[in-house]
Amino acid sequence: MNIERQPTKTKWHQTVTKFRNFPMVPRVVFGPGSFDQLGDILMPQRRHAEAPVIFLVDDFFEGKGLLNRIPAIFDDQIILISAEEEPKTIQVDALVAQIRKSFGATPSGIVGIGGGTVMDLAKAVAIMLNNEGTSADYQGWDLVNRPAVYHIGVPTLSGTGSEVSRTTVLNGPHRKLGINSDFTVFDQVVLDPDLTRDAPKEQWFFTGMDCYIHCVESLSGTYLNAFSQSYGEKAMELCEEVFLGNLNAAEQREKLMMASWHGGMSIAYSQVGVAHAISYGLSYVLGVRHGLGNCLVFRHLEEYYPKGVATFMKMQEKHGIVLPEGVCSSLSDQELEAMVQVSLGMEPLWENALGPDWKAVMTPDKLAGLFARI
Ligand code: ZN
């Protein structure tokens, strides 16, 4: 997701606001089986035999056929990544150190094959290979000085929108925050719906709901504009077809992949809202993964998103998804306080959701009460 400030509606027609000039993914290939074009896509990017391509791959694919289809040649390396936990700055720094130690030359490219976690790691590693210091130094907005190494995103789960965003969200030593920069955006994305075929049902649902929630939060936010609306409405329509309609499995995969893309484009020029702000606190303290965290939070937000929550409940019921209860019931006061502080720190999200006077609406006490229900 993208957590940048956006001109508010009242400022929209005034010249005082600087409009965001954001980069989009310059090249994208879409279609079932398109993954097999990856070798051809990489070939012109290879500088020489000693500058390898590094493939970061979700370890879910260990022992599966996809690994044999990765076009690794010369000194290329495949690094399996566990997506059990949200990506961390120390994990990025360790990967960069490992790659630097293994190869004399800077890699020709980084390819992230997986869900949001692996794609975000690939973006961050590509940035850090060309920038000094630790990745935690770059958490924030436009702090990256030098362009990243060429990097490709290959989603194997649909919904996060990471494939189109200019951020890579990392858990750092002090906070969960994205590296938001023009250099974060992938140089190429490969959208092959067949790669999502074997996703476990719950993971498929939670990640898909991330997209649905992006749409609800973008479309009901105060930052909404025609750009965001046009993508958000299409993404929401696709989500409803996928999760409530009667599509066949292939159509479902294709449409959810495009829903994710459009949902990501929608928040690129608006912002997410209450569910994401609270979910950030939850995952910072408890390590809950993003898609699940959003679902845990969203079902309690009928006060803010009545129609969206009702539809979410229908989707959950249709797919027989059971969410854990009492996730925050045994938290210490200290942990609860940390969650509240991390959440309230997501100011643009609150402002988008509740307007400029959001602090009067979402007080620390009110937020603590919401966490208690989760
Ligand atoms: Zn999200």
Side-chain angles (χ1 to χ4, degrees):
M1 57 145 277
N2 196 321
I3 44 171
E4 288 181 88
R5 286 192 80 85
Q6 172 76 18
T8 60
K9 241 182 183 175
T10 49
K11 286 181 187 167
W12 188 253
H13 297 290
Q14 295 171 13
T15 48
V16 289
T17 307
K18 223 177 152 196
F19 292 93
R20 185 182 309 156
N21 183 9
F22 80 98
M24 291 165 67
V25 175
R27 296 195 80 93
V28 53
V29 53
F30 171 80
S34 58
F35 182 76
D36 291 329
Q37 284 173 229
L38 186 57
D40 292 343
I41 289 169
L42 282 167
M43 198 52 81
Q45 306 297 335
R46 293 179 180 278
R47 292 198 311 278
H48 50 82
E50 282 80 43
V53 173
I54 312 291
F55 299 88
L56 304 181
V57 186
D58 190 322
D59 68 2
F60 171 78
F61 292 104
E62 190 169 11
K64 296 198 170 73
L66 183 70
L67 283 192
N68 302 323
R69 292 169 59 202
I70 292 176
I73 53 173
F74 305 130
D75 286 343
D76 290 359
Q77 202 178 353
I78 296 173
I79 301 177
L80 294 174
I81 303 280
S82 164
E84 278 305 306
E85 289 179 26
E86 297 269 281
K88 297 184 186 68
T89 52
I90 47 167
Q91 196 181 4
V92 172
D93 296 344
L95 278 165
V96 170
Q98 180 189 339
I99 293 167
R100 281 192 179 132
K101 204 172 137 201
S102 306
F103 304 99
T106 303
S108 293
I110 303 292
V111 183
I113 303 172
T117 294
V118 174
M119 284 193 286
D120 277 5
L121 279 172
K123 289 175 176 178
V125 166
I127 289 171
M128 292 312 298
L129 281 167
N130 274 351
N131 286 276
E132 309 280 312
T134 152
S135 50
D137 297 341
Y138 300 95
Q139 285 181 289
W141 287 270
D142 302 303
L143 302 172
V144 180
N145 305 310
R146 300 178 57 202
V149 168
Y150 175 83
H151 52 304
I152 300 185
V154 186
T156 62
L157 271 171
S158 294
T160 65
S162 171
E163 65 276 19
V164 294
S165 78
R166 77 187 277 280
T167 192
T168 158
V169 185
L170 303 173
N171 270 320
H174 310 297
R175 57 208 168 157
K176 178 176 178 178
L177 185 61
I179 299 179
N180 298 268
S181 86
D182 286 354
F183 303 126
T184 309
V185 180
F186 284 117
D187 297 292
Q188 166 85 52
V189 168
V190 176
L191 297 179
D192 182 345
D194 281 356
L195 301 185
T196 66
R197 191 195 295 263
D198 299 327
K201 187 177 178 187
E202 290 204 320
Q203 201 53 52
W204 166 80
F205 184 82
F206 297 147
T207 311
M209 286 303 105
D210 187 23
C211 176
Y212 180 68
I213 295 168
H214 290 160
C215 299
V216 172
E217 295 188 319
S218 174
L219 290 172
S220 53
T222 61
Y223 290 180
L224 189 66
N225 53 73
F227 186 104
S228 288
Q229 190 176 4
S230 63
Y231 285 105
E233 285 176 351
K234 188 66 204 177
M236 182 170 270
E237 179 193 313
L238 289 167
C239 282
E240 288 178 354
E241 270 187 85
V242 168
F243 291 101
L244 294 174
N246 292 305
L247 303 175
N248 68 40
E251 288 169 330
Q252 240 180 18
R253 290 194 292 269
E254 291 178 20
K255 292 197 176 200
L256 190 55
M257 192 155 256
M258 289 321 297
S260 177
W261 182 272
H262 283 77
M265 286 300 297
S266 181
I267 50 174
Y269 223 87
S270 63
Q271 188 48 274
V272 286
V274 179
H276 274 75
I278 299 181
S279 166
Y280 265 39
L282 200 63
S283 78
Y284 185 76
V285 175
L286 293 179
V288 178
R289 293 178 67 185
H290 184 66
L292 171 61
N294 283 351
C295 290
L296 291 174
V297 173
F298 192 67
R299 60 184 167 158
H300 296 296
L301 299 182
E302 60 283 345
E303 186 181 340
Y304 308 96
Y305 306 116
K307 207 167 147 240
V309 173
T311 305
F312 169 83
M313 297 294 199
K314 263 192 230 159
M315 292 171 170
Q316 192 191 337
E317 197 189 315
K318 174 164 177 175
H319 296 284
I321 301 291
V322 180
L323 291 168
E325 301 282 345
V327 175
C328 294
S329 57
S330 54
L331 287 182
S332 68
D333 288 351
Q334 232 175 357
E335 285 171 316
L336 189 64
E337 177 60 21
M339 278 188 182
V340 168
Q341 287 315 318
V342 169
S343 291
L344 289 178
M346 312 307 290
E347 297 204 6
L349 283 67
W350 292 111
E351 190 183 85
N352 174 47
L354 305 173
D357 299 326
W358 64 269
K359 282 182 182 158
V361 181
M362 188 50 71
T363 60
D365 278 354
K366 173 134 192 181
L367 185 52
L370 261 167
F371 273 118
R373 291 173 66 192
I374 297 166

